């Protein structure tokens, strides 16, 4: 319970403490406590620094009292730390503003750095000259000439020893090279080995030389090598370095020799140890010089302590002055950067879209105040102009949506082009007619999207004052050709082309209807002009045959043959005229429900008997396919297609030595819920690829004896039934012709009789087989 009470008291004290701190912070900000405290510390630092400097130079009585001097130094330290705390707080605030990217923070940092640099430079210069002045006072005690002479003497002595070491190293390497060249012969002849060593020692002014192995056994010696033998104290590190191939230089303080140790590569695990004497008087001078240098450095070290003491005082005073100057610089930088920061902050808001941003001028009349008022006037004008622009933009958007709605409802394709011929605005009809998406056309040249229009665009550019017009043909993916009537108008502003407007309509059906109407008129005229004299000609030929055949006694067979030819040719011409008449006056279809499977079987019956060399195949679907149609016209269309397939098979020519495959005509009935179609395939030579789209036009045929009306009649029959005729290539070779009927919901209203019980009975009576009969597969070979 006691702990809980204490915790509760602590929790209650925390808000109270926060409230007191908040009130104190508000009071400090209201009375500007930081600025006043900084000024007080600044004045105190200047006064304390001045008194401290006077005490150190003996101008005040406290100079002889160490405690008084220590008190002044502590006071300087307290003032120094206080100023440092204020400046650190100001720098932390400045750093936080810079990290947050507040307006004016960078300028504030640059101004603070500039003022600090201006304050630091004279302080450092004064402190430096003070220390240098003190050093000049000590030059009488420690002359630079004496220091240089002592140190250079020691350097000369060391150089003398280093020269001996370098010389003995070079001689040892040269001597080892000579011994390695004669290694085998010298190892077998110890006397010769010693003689060679003596020559080497004498030639190279060495004092002694010894060759020994790793076990310490002497192989050869020369000079005062007896001393080397009795003093073989070679350290292990020297052996390791020599074994690694280095030349090891050895010296001793109690000896007047310089020695070198290295390994001999021409001998088995052998080492060369040579020595050279050094003048004892030189060594004594070196020792004296070294002692003099040590003494001089010790005295010079005491001078540094004295210099350090005075320098420390100078540094403390300089730091106080420096920190005071930095705080003044920070305060002045804050005073300059704050109004500029307000302008920058307002500019950033305007850049972000807030045109209501304004700068507080506070009645200032300086340049910054003038800048703030000019900025406020500018933002007011921008706000007014922005409102006008937004209103104009809304009007433009409304007009643009209206134009797009108008173009979207136009059946003709419309393309807007810029002055370079790039597509900028395609409407929906243009996308449908060109079978391309809008995104695939925007930003591309018209010649790249529709190459057939490129020449017309060049013509329009050459004659901008006239409307350019041309009919082009676009090949479709299904092999058909779409005819487009293209017009290009040029937009001109001040005799400069600024754009183009391309409009085009699909006139494929119009041209086809015009051609059919023209051919139908021609067919009617031909049928009328030819059919009238055919009957008298045929009757006259038959009468001549009946009346005069018995009376002719000479060349009777020729007379009979000629009359038969006349009758037969008149019959052929009559049948051709009947086809013309059928094409010109095809009656309107009588639509009743009919069984397509039964119609296909009847259409294949006669050709199967007439052409036993051709295999006819049809497999009826499991379910009956009944559609509303004209039985006579659909039967006629099937007969034409099957006859065309038989004629195509008869026109086949053998390729190479391989025998031709038997002729085959296959009929399929498709009813999969998405389409109802009759497909007729053959294995003949196939349909021509060039001008395939014209095969359904009247009087266009690939046979010499054909009239070119068969496919035209089939197409017209399918159009009257609301269906389509497709000409394709069979995957196995040959041709494939599809009669595609629309589904029930897609059929046009063509006067179809209602599917009543009487009609169903009529349709059933026309059927010659049962459902089971419809499922059988017919293979007619004309047997």
């Amino acid at each position: 319970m006691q702990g809980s009470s204490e915790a509760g008291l602590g929790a209650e004290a925390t808000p109270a403490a926060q409230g007191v701190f908040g009130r104190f912070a508000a009071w400090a900000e209201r009375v500007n406590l930081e600025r006043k405290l900084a000024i007080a510390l600044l004045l105190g630092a200047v006064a304390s620094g001045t008194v401290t400097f006077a005490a150190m130079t003996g101008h005040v009585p406290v100079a002889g009292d160490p405690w008084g001097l220590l008190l002044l130094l502590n006071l300087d330290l307290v003032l120094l730390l206080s100023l440092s705390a204020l400046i650190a707080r100001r720098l932390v605030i400045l750093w936080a503003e810079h990290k947050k990217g507040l307006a004016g923070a960078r300028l504030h940092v640059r101004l603070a750095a500039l003022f600090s640099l201006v304050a630091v430079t004279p302080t450092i210069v004064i402190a430096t000259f003070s220390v240098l002045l003190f050093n000049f006072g000590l030059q009488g005690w420690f002359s630079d000439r004496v220091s240089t002479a002592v140190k250079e003497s020691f350097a000369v002595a060391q150089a003398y020893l280093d020269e001996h070491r370098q010389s003995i190293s070079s001689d040892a390497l040269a001597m080892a090279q000579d011994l390695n060249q004669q290694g085998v012969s010298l190892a077998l002849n110890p006397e010769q080995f010693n003689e060679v060593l003596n020559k080497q020692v004498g030639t190279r002014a060495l004092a002694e030389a010894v060759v020994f192995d790793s076990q310490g056994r002497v192989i050869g010696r020369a000079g005062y090598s007896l001393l080397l033998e009795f003093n073989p104290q070679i350290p292990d590190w020297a052996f390791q370095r020599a074994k690694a191939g280095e030349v090891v230089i050895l010296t001793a303080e109690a000896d007047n020799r310089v020695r070198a140790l290295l390994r001999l590569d021409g001998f088995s695990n052998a080492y060369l140890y040579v020595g050279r004497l050094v003048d004892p008087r030189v060594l004594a001078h070196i020792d004296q010089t070294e002692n003099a240098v040590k003494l001089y450095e010790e005295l010079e070290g005491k001078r540094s302590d004295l210099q350090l003491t005075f320098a420390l005082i100078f540094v403390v005073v300089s730091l106080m002055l420096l920190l005071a100057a930095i705080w003044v610089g920070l305060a002045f930088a804050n005073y300059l950067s704050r109004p500029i920061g307000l302008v920058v902050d307002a500019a950033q808001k305007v850049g972000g879209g807030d045109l209501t941003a304004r700068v507080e001028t506070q009645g200032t009349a300086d340049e910054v105040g003038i800048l703030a008022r000019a900025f406020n006037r500018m933002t007011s004008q921008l706000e007014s102009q922005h409102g006008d622009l937004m209103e104009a933009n809304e009007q433009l958007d409304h007009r643009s949506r209206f134009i797009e709605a108008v173009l979207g409802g136009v059946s003709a394709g419309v393309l807007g082009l810029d002055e370079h011929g790039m597509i900028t605005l395609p409407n929906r009809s243009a996308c449908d007619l060109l079978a391309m998406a809008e995104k695939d056309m925007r930003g591309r040249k018209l010649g790249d999207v529709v190459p057939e229009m490129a020449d017309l665009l060049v013509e329009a550019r050459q004659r901008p004052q006239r409307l350019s017009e041309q009919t082009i043909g676009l090949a479709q993916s299904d092999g058909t050709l779409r005819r487009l009537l293209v017009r290009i108008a040029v937009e001109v502003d001040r005799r400069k082309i600024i754009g183009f407007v391309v409009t085009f309509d699909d006139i494929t059906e119009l041209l086809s209807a015009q051609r059919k109407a023209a051919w139908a008129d021609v067919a009617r005229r031909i049928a009328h002009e030819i059919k009238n004299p055919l009957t008298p000609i045929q009757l006259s030929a038959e009468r001549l045959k009946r009346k005069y055949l018995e009376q002719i006694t000479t060349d009777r067979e020729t007379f009979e043959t000629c009359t038969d030819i006349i009758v037969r040719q008149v019959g052929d011409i009559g049948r051709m005229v009947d086809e013309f008449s059928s094409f010109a006056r095809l009656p309107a279809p009588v639509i009743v429900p009919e069984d397509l499977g039964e119609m296909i079987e009847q259409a294949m019956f006669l050709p199967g008997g007439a052409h036993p060399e051709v295999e006819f195949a049809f497999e009826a679907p499991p379910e009956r396919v009944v559609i509303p149609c004209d039985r006579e016209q659909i039967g006629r269309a099937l007969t034409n297609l099957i006859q065309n397939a038989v004629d195509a098979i008869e026109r086949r020519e053998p390729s190479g030595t391989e025998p031709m495959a038997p002729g085959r005509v296959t009929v399929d009935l498709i009813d999969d819920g998405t389409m109802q179609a009759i497909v007729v395939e053959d294995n003949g030579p196939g349909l021509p690829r060039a001008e395939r789209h014209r095969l359904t036009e009247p009087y266009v045929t690939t046979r010499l004896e054909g009239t070119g009306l068969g496919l035209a009649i089939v197409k017209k029959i399918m159009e009257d039934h609301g269906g389509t005729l497709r000409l394709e290539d069979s995957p196995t070779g040959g041709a494939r012709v599809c009669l595609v009927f629309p589904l029930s919901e897609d059929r046009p209203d063509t006067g179809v009789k209602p599917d009543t019980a009487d009609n169903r009975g009529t349709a059933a009576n026309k059927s010659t087989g049962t459902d089971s009969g419809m499922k059988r597969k017919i293979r007619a070979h004309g047997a």
Side-chain angles (χ1 to χ4, degrees):
M1 294 296 293
Q2 184 178 0
S4 301
S5 300
E6 293 177 354
L9 291 174
E12 294 177 358
T14 301
Q18 291 177 352
V20 172
F21 179 77
R23 288 193 297 272
F24 176 76
W27 173 80
E29 184 177 358
R30 186 171 58 255
V31 300
N32 203 357
L33 180 61
E34 180 183 1
R35 182 170 178 272
K36 294 178 179 179
L37 181 60
I39 293 175
L41 290 175
L42 176 61
L43 296 176
V46 173
S48 178
T50 303
V51 173
T52 303
F53 181 77
M56 293 298 299
T57 56
H59 292 82
V60 293
V62 77
D65 187 4
W67 291 101
L69 187 59
L70 182 61
L71 181 61
L72 287 175
L73 291 175
N74 288 331
L75 179 60
D76 294 339
L77 183 60
V78 170
L79 294 174
L80 181 64
L81 293 177
S82 301
L83 279 175
S84 300
L86 286 178
I87 293 175
R89 180 179 179 275
R90 177 61 61 184
L91 291 176
V92 168
I93 295 174
L94 183 61
W95 177 80
E97 292 177 352
H98 180 71
K99 291 295 289 183
K100 292 179 181 179
L102 298 181
R106 295 182 178 178
L107 179 61
H108 196 177
V109 170
R110 292 176 182 175
L111 289 176
L114 178 61
F115 288 129
S116 299
L117 180 62
V118 171
V120 165
T121 303
T123 304
I124 294 177
V125 170
I126 292 174
T128 303
F129 275 101
S130 299
V131 173
L132 291 177
L133 184 61
F134 181 75
N135 286 334
F136 289 152
L138 297 179
Q139 289 300 325
W141 296 349
F142 300 98
S143 175
D144 289 340
R145 296 179 180 178
V146 175
S147 175
T148 303
V150 172
K151 292 180 180 180
E152 292 298 328
S153 299
F154 183 71
V156 170
Q158 291 295 330
Y160 178 77
L161 281 178
D162 292 340
E163 183 181 0
H164 275 279
R165 292 170 182 169
Q166 184 66 30
S167 176
I168 196 172
S169 175
S170 302
D171 291 338
L173 284 173
M175 184 176 178
Q177 186 177 3
D178 294 341
L179 294 177
N180 288 329
Q181 292 177 355
Q182 306 177 28
V184 177
S185 60
L186 294 177
L188 299 176
N189 192 346
E191 293 181 358
Q192 184 182 0
F193 195 1
N194 291 331
E195 183 180 352
V196 171
L197 280 178
N198 284 320
K199 289 182 180 180
Q200 290 287 337
V201 168
T203 303
R204 305 184 187 281
L206 297 175
E208 60 258 339
V210 175
V211 177
F212 59 94
D213 59 12
S214 58
Q215 302 298 326
R217 292 190 297 269
V218 177
I219 302 175
R221 67 182 68 190
Y224 301 105
S225 57
L226 185 60
L227 296 176
L228 291 177
E229 182 180 2
F230 287 98
N231 189 16
Q233 300 299 327
I234 303 175
D236 293 335
W237 62 266
F239 273 112
Q240 296 297 329
R241 291 177 57 183
K243 189 179 296 183
E246 298 182 22
V247 179
V248 183
I249 305 300
L250 300 174
T251 58
E253 296 181 359
D255 199 355
N256 57 349
R257 297 171 186 265
V258 178
R259 296 181 176 89
L261 176 67
L262 73 162
R263 190 181 66 182
L264 294 175
D265 296 332
F267 296 85
S268 177
N269 200 14
Y271 297 87
L272 174 64
Y273 192 31
V274 299
R276 177 174 289 163
L277 294 175
V278 181
D279 191 351
R281 291 177 299 175
V282 174
L283 295 178
H285 287 308
I286 292 175
D287 293 337
Q288 292 175 4
T289 304
E290 185 177 1
N291 293 332
V293 170
K294 289 181 179 179
L295 180 60
Y296 180 81
E297 290 178 351
E298 183 180 354
L299 295 176
E300 190 176 17
K302 293 179 181 180
R303 186 187 69 167
S304 299
D305 293 339
L306 184 59
Q307 289 177 333
L308 183 60
T309 302
F310 279 91
L312 181 61
I313 297 173
F314 290 146
V315 167
V316 171
V317 176
S318 299
L319 281 177
M320 286 192 299
L321 297 176
L322 176 62
L323 293 176
I326 290 176
W327 187 90
V328 172
L330 290 174
F332 193 64
N334 187 33
Y335 173 76
L336 289 179
S337 63
R338 183 178 180 278
I340 298 177
L342 294 176
V343 175
V344 174
D345 184 44
Q348 289 178 347
K349 291 180 180 179
V350 172
D354 183 11
L355 297 179
T356 61
R358 299 293 184 271
V359 180
E360 298 180 4
T361 57
Q362 297 178 353
T364 56
D366 56 0
E367 286 77 4
V368 178
I370 296 173
L371 175 64
R373 285 189 290 272
F375 180 84
N376 290 339
R377 287 194 301 271
M378 179 189 68
T379 52
S380 299
Q381 295 174 0
L382 285 176
E383 185 178 7
S384 175
Q385 294 173 0
H386 181 264
D388 297 339
L389 287 175
M390 291 297 294
E391 184 178 356
N393 218 5
E394 290 178 359
Q395 294 178 359
L396 289 176
D397 289 342
H398 177 72
R399 293 177 183 176
S400 178
R401 288 193 296 269
F402 176 75
I403 293 173
E404 289 181 358
V406 171
L407 292 179
V410 175
S411 60
V414 180
L415 296 176
L417 311 180
D418 61 8
E419 65 274 15
H420 303 294
M422 308 288 286
I423 299 176
T424 58
L425 178 64
N427 71 338
R428 185 165 49 251
S429 298
C431 298
D432 296 338
L433 291 175
L434 299 179
M436 295 183 68
E438 180 179 346
K439 63 179 181 179
D440 296 334
M441 288 192 285
R442 283 186 182 271
R444 297 178 59 188
K445 290 188 176 182
L446 179 65
D448 297 336
V449 177
V450 190
E452 293 82 359
M453 298 183 185
D455 295 337
L456 187 61
L457 181 62
V458 173
E459 179 183 345
R461 193 185 295 275
Q462 294 174 351
R463 299 187 300 174
Q465 68 279 3
R466 297 180 57 183
L467 180 68
S468 300
E469 182 177 323
Q470 184 182 355
T471 301
I472 65 172
L474 293 182
Q476 305 298 304
S477 58
D478 56 356
T480 61
L481 187 69
R482 173 174 288 175
R483 295 287 182 177
L484 299 179
L485 178 60
V486 185
R487 300 181 181 91
I488 300 181
V490 184
E491 298 181 55
V492 181
D493 183 17
R494 298 177 183 178
R495 297 184 179 180
K496 181 180 179 182
I497 297 177
I498 61 174
F500 304 87
V501 177
V502 182
T503 59
F504 48 92
D505 294 282
D506 186 1
I507 59 173
T508 306
E509 297 298 332
L510 177 62
L511 294 178
S512 178
Q514 290 176 349
R515 285 194 297 269
K516 287 181 181 179
W519 282 116
D521 184 65
V522 171
R524 282 193 298 270
R525 294 178 183 274
I526 292 176
H528 177 73
E529 297 296 335
I530 296 178
K531 193 171 185 179
N532 287 337
L534 284 181
T535 302
I537 294 173
Q538 183 178 1
L539 293 176
S540 298
E542 292 176 351
R543 185 175 179 180
L544 288 173
K545 181 180 180 180
R546 287 195 307 269
K547 186 175 181 179
Y548 297 104
L549 181 61
E550 300 296 335
Q551 300 177 8
I552 296 176
T553 58
T554 60
D555 203 4
R556 181 177 179 178
E557 295 180 357
T558 301
F559 177 78
E560 184 177 7
T561 301
C562 290
T563 54
D564 290 342
I565 290 174
I566 293 173
V567 172
R568 186 169 61 254
Q569 292 298 327
V570 167
D572 293 340
I573 295 174
R575 284 190 295 273
M576 184 180 299
V577 171
D578 290 338
E579 288 188 7
F580 289 162
S581 300
S582 298
F583 176 72
R585 295 190 299 271
L586 195 65
V590 179
I591 306 298
V592 294
E594 298 288 352
D595 188 343
L596 287 182
E598 179 185 347
M599 295 169 61
I600 293 172
E601 290 178 350
Q602 292 180 359
M604 296 178 65
F605 180 74
L606 292 179
H611 301 280
E613 72 281 2
V614 179
E615 179 182 358
F616 295 84
F618 168 65
E619 185 174 358
E623 301 292 336
R624 296 174 60 195
V625 181
V626 179
I627 64 170
C629 66
D630 188 314
R631 184 184 186 90
E632 181 180 353
Q633 292 188 8
I634 297 299
R636 183 175 182 179
L638 287 172
T639 301
N640 286 347
L641 295 181
I642 293 173
Q643 186 60 44
N644 287 344
V646 173
D647 294 342
I649 292 174
E650 291 178 349
R651 294 198 310 272
R652 292 186 304 170
E653 296 180 358
S655 58
T657 58
E658 297 182 0
M660 290 190 302
R664 179 179 175 86
V665 177
T666 304
V667 182
D668 292 326
L669 180 56
I670 301 174
D671 183 13
D672 56 3
T674 60
M675 63 179 297
Q676 294 173 331
I678 299 175
V679 181
V680 180
E681 295 186 28
D682 61 66
N683 59 347
L687 298 172
R689 293 188 176 274
E691 299 294 329
R692 180 179 296 184
H693 60 281
R694 297 194 58 203
L695 293 179
T696 58
E697 297 181 4
Y699 309 108
V700 176
T701 181
T702 58
R703 296 181 297 165
L704 296 177
E705 69 277 8
T707 61
L709 294 175
L711 289 179
I713 294 174
V714 173
K715 183 178 181 181
K716 190 172 188 309
I717 292 173
M718 292 305 298
E719 289 176 350
D720 291 342
H721 283 76
T724 56
L725 173 66
R726 297 180 184 175
L727 304 179
E728 304 172 354
D729 293 325
S730 175
T732 58
R736 171 192 284 176
V737 182
C738 303
L739 303 179
V740 183
F741 297 91
L743 298 178
S744 299
E745 59 272 14
D746 299 332
R747 285 194 177 93
D749 186 8
T750 56
V752 179
K753 296 182 180 180
D755 190 9
T756 61
D758 295 338
N759 291 334
R760 288 193 299 269
T762 303
N765 292 333
K766 291 182 179 180
S767 176
T768 58
T770 62
D771 293 344
S772 60
M774 294 297 296
K775 298 178 183 178
R776 70 182 180 273
K777 185 174 182 181
I778 300 175
R779 295 190 178 275
H781 298 281

